[in-house]
Amino acid sequence: MTPEIQARPRVEGEREQEILRATLDVLAEVGYDRLTMDAVAAAAKASKATLYRRWSSKSALVIDAVLAQKGPTAAPDTGSLREDLLQMHCGAGGVTDQRAMNVLASVITAVNIDPEFATAFRRDFIGPKVAAGRAVFERARDRGEIGPDVDLDLVAPALAGMVLHRTHLLGEPPSTAVIAALIDQVILPACHATHTSKKHQDKDDA
């Protein structure tokens, strides 16, 4: 009679978070192509079998790790488009967070070579961020900060696009000052922000 094999416990809780943090460390250091389950296991001081009990593949592990570090996806609602955008893009998990940007750079490789990973990443990571950004612009339009003829599908992703261009193509990591300048000089004028129009009107009246 075959002896009964007892199932090993599922990896969860703090141990799971330790493994996910180790995955991000390895990802940021060597990139997606060179990341292996062996390397993550060594960094997390775990066995490879432990990882495979929880994640069936490297892509599944990386997706969970990236999702674990993305932070809250709720759109800020400060009552000001400018302040909402600053809160969304600056600080931990934002585009001024060097670690988060290093991880994103590594993940972009996976998006280009792994269709299954790309689908999950766009759905689970990018999708909620896009929705939150869209909500910020829709509320600003409702407040009158954005003209009714402005195409939000073009304007809403523009700031992130400019930042990623500067970072990955020009090699210029963004700072809070750069983000603020892009908002003030590009995004708000493109939105016909009411406080900008009022400032110009005040100058004309002076």
Side-chain angles (χ1 to χ4, degrees), residues 81 137 144-150 152 155 186-194:
L81 176 59
F137 280 86
E145 292 185 83
I146 299 178
D149 59 335
V150 174
L152 297 187
V155 175
V186 181
I187 301 300
L188 294 184
C191 290
H192 311 294
T194 54

Side-chain angles (χ1 to χ4, degrees), residues 43-82:
K45 296 180 173 58
S47 69
K48 189 164 67 171
T50 297
L51 269 60
Y52 276 113
R53 284 203 302 274
R54 173 65 178 81
W55 297 279
S56 61
S57 65
K58 177 174 81 170
S59 62
L61 172 59
V62 172
I63 279 288
D64 273 4
V66 173
L67 291 177
Q69 64 107 47
K70 71 178 179 177
T73 56
D77 188 7
T78 66
S80 161
L81 176 59
R82 184 180 192 276

Side-chain angles (χ1 to χ4, degrees), residues 109-185:
T109 300
V111 169
N112 289 326
I113 65 175
D114 187 333
E116 182 179 350
F117 181 94
T119 297
F121 179 73
R122 289 171 178 143
R123 180 191 65 232
D124 299 332
F125 185 84
I126 297 298
K129 286 185 176 292
V130 169
R134 176 79 183 203
V136 163
F137 280 86
E138 289 177 346
R139 282 198 295 261
R141 183 174 58 188
D142 293 341
R143 291 192 301 265
E145 292 185 83
I146 299 178
D149 59 335
V150 174
D151 187 343
L152 297 187
D153 289 333
L154 294 177
V155 175
L159 180 57
M162 289 186 290
V163 170
L164 293 177
H165 173 81
R166 292 175 64 91
T167 302
H168 297 300
L169 297 184
L170 303 183
E172 300 176 1
S175 64
T176 299
V178 168
I179 298 300
L182 289 172
I183 293 170
D184 292 337
Q185 298 179 36

